[in-house]
Amino acid sequence: MDLPSSPIRRLAALATAAEERGVHVHHLNIGQPDLAPPPEVEAALASAPQIRLAYAPSRGIASTLDAWVAYYRRYGIEVERDDLLVTAGASEALSLAFLTTCDPGDEVLVPEPYYAPYKGVVAISGVHLVPVPLGPGYAPPAAEAFRDRLTDRTRAILLCSPNNPTGTVYTRDDLLAIGGFARDHGLFLLSDETYREIVFDGPPATSALALPGLEDHVVVIDSLSKRFNMCGARIGSFVSRNQDVMRAALELAELRLSVPAIEQHAAGAALTSAPNYLTQLVDTYRSRVGTVVNGLANIPGVDVRRPDGAFYVVPTLPVDDADRFAAWMLSDFAVGGETVMVTPMSDFYGSPGLGKREVRLACIIHEADLSRVIDILRVGLDGYPGRDA
Amino acid sequence: MDLPSSPIRRLAALATAAEERGVHVHHLNIGQPDLAPPPEVEAALASAPQIRLAYAPSRGIASTLDAWVAYYRRYGIEVERDDLLVTAGASEALSLAFLTTCDPGDEVLVPEPYYAPYKGVVAISGVHLVPVPLGPGYAPPAAEAFRDRLTDRTRAILLCSPNNPTGTVYTRDDLLAIGGFARDHGLFLLSDETYREIVFDGPPATSALALPGLEDHVVVIDSLSKRFNMCGARIGSFVSRNQDVMRAALELAELRLSVPAIEQHAAGAALTSAPNYLTQLVDTYRSRVGTVVNGLANIPGVDVRRPDGAFYVVPTLPVDDADRFAAWMLSDFAVGGETVMVTPMSDFYGSPGLGKREVRLACIIHEADLSRVIDILRVGLDGYPGRDA
């Protein structure tokens, strides 16, 4: 099988080459934060040598399932163990979502721009992503925008809120409108809620699990990676009250036998950790994102808006081609021995030609370094031969 | 998508019900040994709280890749880091093997009986398994047996040596003959070597990686689960010298980002542990398998042969239907409050109607308990209403 090619892989080679030349590359290209997990995780891992390395149940270890149930209850969401499956990160949950709700050749509607790796995951399942444009300022699309792209192969709508890359947060009303449309047309609503708590003004984002009357339609894809800074633990969850979906997901999960026992143990500790960890996390990202947005807003020709959540900033740059600019920053540019690796946005669109002047910056380093990044980008944009404004 | 249904799931519910009635069920149905991992693993896990829970490289952590390279070198197999990918167990390696070598609709030849979950993994990839009969006494098939089933959709041959479930060990000559056939017909040779060291008479099984002239054809699926008793760590490897295959596998691996960091650390310790661990492991299974084979041979009507490797015994029982017998042992039988859960073999065949009187016993409990299991089976076979010999 062939996966869609990605400009991101080409850039990784250029970054390695720059580092081999001795250039310090600020990696703002990947959502791998520099923060530590909750202290409860380190404490739980002290018992790692005593954990029996036996197959865990395919659905997940009972205490980890219970920790997920307790975590959702904090947000007023009542789910049972049977509505849950512990997964190897959001990646596996996504893959299960496509495999359990779609057949090869089916279509899934997804607002664009969207998280680029969705493309590869659907390719494995033989499913097609059909992009639906976001509104101005990356606002959630109205239900009509989905209607325009409905065919007899449409099986699901895939949302991500707070959104990677745009930071869009879908309100309860947005979700009710889109969810109602999904129900009316017999579609599943696949909801990637990896960044749930990271909302800058107001409470955590509404979960699709909180929508009344959509119990048979909603599948939530979740992950501990970002909210608890444990990307490398690869623990997520797959949640649905639709028992046909859950049965099919469990059968697929049985093929991989289990998710690693030690990380499930650590996940239980994270999920039941003190809530002030998340409050501090949001404060950190609010401040970092503010620094980046304000810094970019002061660079002539750059157009930027403050995201509502997650930890990415997506400016439009005064360049001919963001792919080329990102490559040039790594291959032909450095200031004071430093440069910045950004992610061009073209790969986050399904419609060809869009996002040509946009880049994504992940605010996953210290604020002082982020200020330095802004300075480097300013000098880079000044010197870039393809400048276009 | 629909997965093939399995009688094994139905039996699991019966076992749970028996346990709820207070019956002690000896679980010989799953390859989850009772042995401890090498002591080096426990020592390595003491540093778990200090391991940064960041995304590991998608190919694997450098030290874990190097530990795999050093492990293969023990067997005279020279591979480079670029020939390897650390996987989430053999399950992920298998799935990558099908996705990188086949398109949906393609066919893979596999000697039957074979490891039942292969069916579900290929179903996800849209690939068809075409069974090829083993010879008498579960002997490796001759190359001609593969030729008879070759079509223009055949892409690969899938072997497992030492074999789960039959214990068949393919000699170097067997592999050269089948490998030569694969090369002549432009097929991949997918080799599941999970049980490599567990061979009762002689050295570890020959790896397909050791075959000359097959560098572009061989893909090895490997796992630490059985040889180091760390099923719950979910660490395996995917190995090929075919760089097109490795590139495709890495692209797929990038979609799941990484394999958990802590388990990779533990895997490095296991792979570089003292070799006498494996010697003792083989001694243990040789002795256990001997106990079970000798015990079964003394039950009238039971036909059993000693396997050459792995840790399963597959007797033919004097019953009308092994599925029914296995269910009856759980639902309607107990002696001294005990019973045995065995795996009926029908699910390990692709050809309908085969294996009706065979069961698989995993020798994964203490020898005293295995002797008790034999006694229980003897009484069970005596009382079973569908006895047929």
Side-chain angles (χ1 to χ4, degrees):
Chain A
M1 62 159 302
D2 287 321
L3 289 179
S5 72
S6 161
I8 295 170
R9 193 167 300 116
R10 216 177 49 242
L11 288 178
L14 298 181
T16 305
E19 282 159 350
E20 283 169 4
R21 290 194 310 273
V23 174
H24 176 74
V25 179
H26 294 275
H27 283 270
L28 262 56
N29 56 294
I30 184 170
Q32 163 71 67
D34 58 339
L35 306 172
E40 289 88 343
V41 170
E42 189 177 320
L45 285 173
S47 64
Q50 283 78 55
I51 294 174
R52 189 167 169 241
L53 293 176
Y55 293 124
S58 296
R59 187 188 289 285
I61 291 173
S63 60
T64 309
L65 288 167
D66 288 346
W68 272 112
V69 167
Y71 162 83
Y72 288 118
R73 190 166 293 146
R74 281 197 206 171
Y75 299 109
I77 298 163
E78 292 294 329
V79 288
E80 315 278 327
R81 270 193 203 174
D82 285 356
D83 304 328
L84 271 166
L85 196 68
V86 178
T87 62
S91 321
E92 188 190 26
L94 255 178
S95 162
L96 290 175
F98 293 125
L99 288 167
T100 55
T101 63
C102 297
D103 287 313
D106 284 347
E107 296 171 355
V108 173
L109 304 177
V110 55
E112 75 176 343
Y114 54 81
Y115 179 56
Y118 288 165
K119 293 180 186 176
V121 178
V122 295
I124 293 179
S125 327
V127 171
H128 304 295
L129 288 181
V130 176
V132 173
L134 283 173
Y138 304 132
E144 288 69 46
F146 293 98
R147 192 186 319 271
D148 291 345
R149 280 143 189 97
L150 202 63
T151 75
D152 58 358
R153 295 307 302 261
T154 312
R155 285 295 165 271
I157 292 172
L158 170 59
L159 299 182
C160 174
S161 169
N163 191 267
N164 173 5
T166 63
T168 304
V169 176
Y170 289 68
T171 64
R172 185 178 168 85
D173 283 345
D174 295 329
L175 290 177
L176 281 172
I178 298 169
F181 175 82
R183 187 187 49 227
D184 293 347
H185 293 86
L187 308 179
F188 286 99
L189 180 62
L190 314 179
S191 183
D192 177 349
E193 304 184 355
T194 296
Y195 296 88
R196 179 175 295 112
E197 287 84 358
I198 311 177
V199 174
F200 302 132
D201 306 303
T206 302
S207 170
L209 292 168
L211 305 179
L214 286 167
E215 290 75 8
D216 278 349
H217 298 264
V218 166
V219 175
V220 162
I221 293 114
D222 214 336
S223 168
L224 301 188
S225 293
K226 313 298 175 170
R227 74 179 68 115
F228 293 123
N229 292 295
M230 37 200 301
C231 295
R234 315 302 308 122
I235 298 286
S237 75
F238 176 94
V239 196
S240 179
R241 298 191 183 94
N242 180 321
Q243 292 306 309
D244 291 334
V245 167
M246 289 309 301
R247 249 188 308 274
L250 184 59
E251 285 187 30
L252 288 162
E254 283 169 352
L255 295 173
R256 52 74 164 144
L257 300 161
S258 65
V259 167
I262 296 173
E263 270 80 2
Q264 288 202 57
H265 184 67
L271 286 161
T272 52
S273 63
N276 66 335
Y277 179 86
L278 290 168
T279 314
Q280 285 167 17
L281 183 87
V282 177
D283 290 345
T284 300
Y285 286 126
R286 186 187 295 109
S287 177
R288 288 179 176 185
V289 161
T291 297
V292 170
V293 168
N294 295 338
L296 288 171
N298 286 324
I299 301 180
V302 173
D303 187 21
V304 64
R305 61 174 280 287
R306 180 173 175 267
D308 295 322
F311 52 61
Y312 305 96
V313 176
V314 180
T316 301
L317 301 181
V319 298
D320 55 347
D321 182 313
D323 282 19
R324 214 146 23 197
F325 173 69
W328 180 84
M329 287 290 287
L330 294 168
S331 308
D332 300 292
F333 174 81
V335 51
E338 295 172 74
T339 192
V340 181
M341 182 170 182
V342 301
T343 304
M345 283 283 293
S346 57
D347 210 28
F348 292 73
Y349 286 86
S351 307
L354 296 186
K356 290 281 280 183
R357 300 169 69 217
E358 292 171 323
V359 297
R360 188 192 75 168
L361 310 177
C363 300
I364 42 81
I365 57 175
H366 276 276
E367 243 172 290
D369 292 324
L370 287 172
S371 297
R372 175 78 192 129
V373 159
I374 299 296
D375 292 338
I376 295 169
L377 281 173
R378 184 196 314 271
V379 179
L381 285 168
D382 259 351
Y384 177 59
R387 182 159 176 124
D388 191 26
Chain B
M1 61 162 302
D2 287 322
L3 290 178
S5 72
S6 161
I8 295 171
R9 193 166 300 117
R10 214 176 51 241
L11 289 177
L14 299 181
T16 304
E19 283 160 349
E20 284 169 3
R21 290 194 310 272
V23 175
H24 176 73
V25 179
H26 294 275
H27 282 270
L28 263 55
N29 55 295
I30 184 169
Q32 163 71 68
D34 59 339
L35 306 172
E40 289 87 343
V41 170
E42 189 176 319
L45 284 173
S47 63
Q50 283 77 55
I51 294 174
R52 187 166 170 241
L53 292 175
Y55 292 125
S58 295
R59 186 188 289 283
I61 291 172
S63 61
T64 309
L65 289 166
D66 288 346
W68 272 111
V69 167
Y71 163 83
Y72 287 117
R73 190 166 294 147
R74 281 198 206 171
Y75 300 108
I77 298 163
E78 292 293 328
V79 289
E80 315 278 327
R81 270 193 203 174
D82 285 355
D83 305 328
L84 272 166
L85 195 70
V86 178
T87 61
S91 321
E92 188 189 26
L94 256 178
S95 161
L96 290 175
F98 293 125
L99 288 168
T100 55
T101 64
C102 297
D103 288 313
D106 283 348
E107 295 171 357
V108 174
L109 304 176
V110 55
E112 72 176 346
Y114 53 82
Y115 179 56
Y118 288 165
K119 294 180 186 177
V121 178
V122 295
I124 292 179
S125 328
V127 171
H128 304 294
L129 289 181
V130 176
V132 173
L134 284 173
Y138 305 131
E144 289 68 48
F146 294 98
R147 193 186 318 272
D148 291 346
R149 281 149 187 93
L150 202 62
T151 75
D152 58 358
R153 294 308 302 262
T154 312
R155 287 293 166 271
I157 292 173
L158 170 60
L159 299 182
C160 173
S161 169
N163 191 267
N164 173 6
T166 64
T168 304
V169 176
Y170 289 69
T171 65
R172 184 177 169 85
D173 284 345
D174 295 330
L175 290 178
L176 281 172
I178 298 169
F181 175 83
R183 187 187 49 228
D184 293 348
H185 292 86
L187 308 180
F188 287 97
L189 181 62
L190 314 179
S191 184
D192 178 349
E193 304 184 355
T194 297
Y195 297 88
R196 178 174 296 111
E197 288 84 358
I198 311 176
V199 175
F200 302 132
D201 307 305
T206 302
S207 170
L209 291 169
L211 305 178
L214 285 167
E215 290 74 9
D216 278 349
H217 298 264
V218 166
V219 175
V220 162
I221 293 114
D222 214 336
S223 167
L224 301 188
S225 294
K226 312 297 175 170
R227 76 179 66 115
F228 294 123
N229 291 295
M230 37 201 298
C231 295
R234 313 302 309 120
I235 298 287
S237 76
F238 176 94
V239 196
S240 180
R241 298 191 184 93
N242 181 320
Q243 291 306 309
D244 291 332
V245 167
M246 290 309 301
R247 250 189 306 275
L250 184 59
E251 286 186 29
L252 288 162
E254 285 169 351
L255 295 173
R256 53 74 166 144
L257 300 161
S258 66
V259 167
I262 295 174
E263 270 80 1
Q264 288 202 58
H265 184 66
L271 285 162
T272 53
S273 63
N276 67 336
Y277 178 87
L278 289 168
T279 315
Q280 287 168 15
L281 183 86
V282 177
D283 290 346
T284 301
Y285 286 126
R286 187 188 295 106
S287 178
R288 287 180 176 185
V289 162
T291 297
V292 169
V293 168
N294 294 339
L296 288 170
N298 286 324
I299 301 179
V302 172
D303 187 20
V304 64
R305 61 175 281 286
R306 179 173 174 267
D308 296 322
F311 51 62
Y312 305 96
V313 176
V314 179
T316 301
L317 302 182
V319 297
D320 55 347
D321 182 312
D323 282 18
R324 213 145 26 196
F325 172 69
W328 180 84
M329 287 290 286
L330 295 169
S331 308
D332 299 291
F333 175 79
V335 52
E338 294 172 76
T339 191
V340 181
M341 183 170 180
V342 301
T343 304
M345 282 284 292
S346 56
D347 209 30
F348 292 73
Y349 286 87
S351 307
L354 295 186
K356 289 281 281 183
R357 299 169 70 216
E358 293 170 323
V359 298
R360 188 192 73 167
L361 310 176
C363 300
I364 42 81
I365 58 176
H366 276 276
E367 242 172 291
D369 293 323
L370 288 172
S371 297
R372 176 76 194 131
V373 158
I374 300 296
D375 293 337
I376 295 169
L377 281 173
R378 185 195 315 270
V379 180
L381 285 167
D382 259 351
Y384 176 59
R387 184 161 174 120
D388 190 27

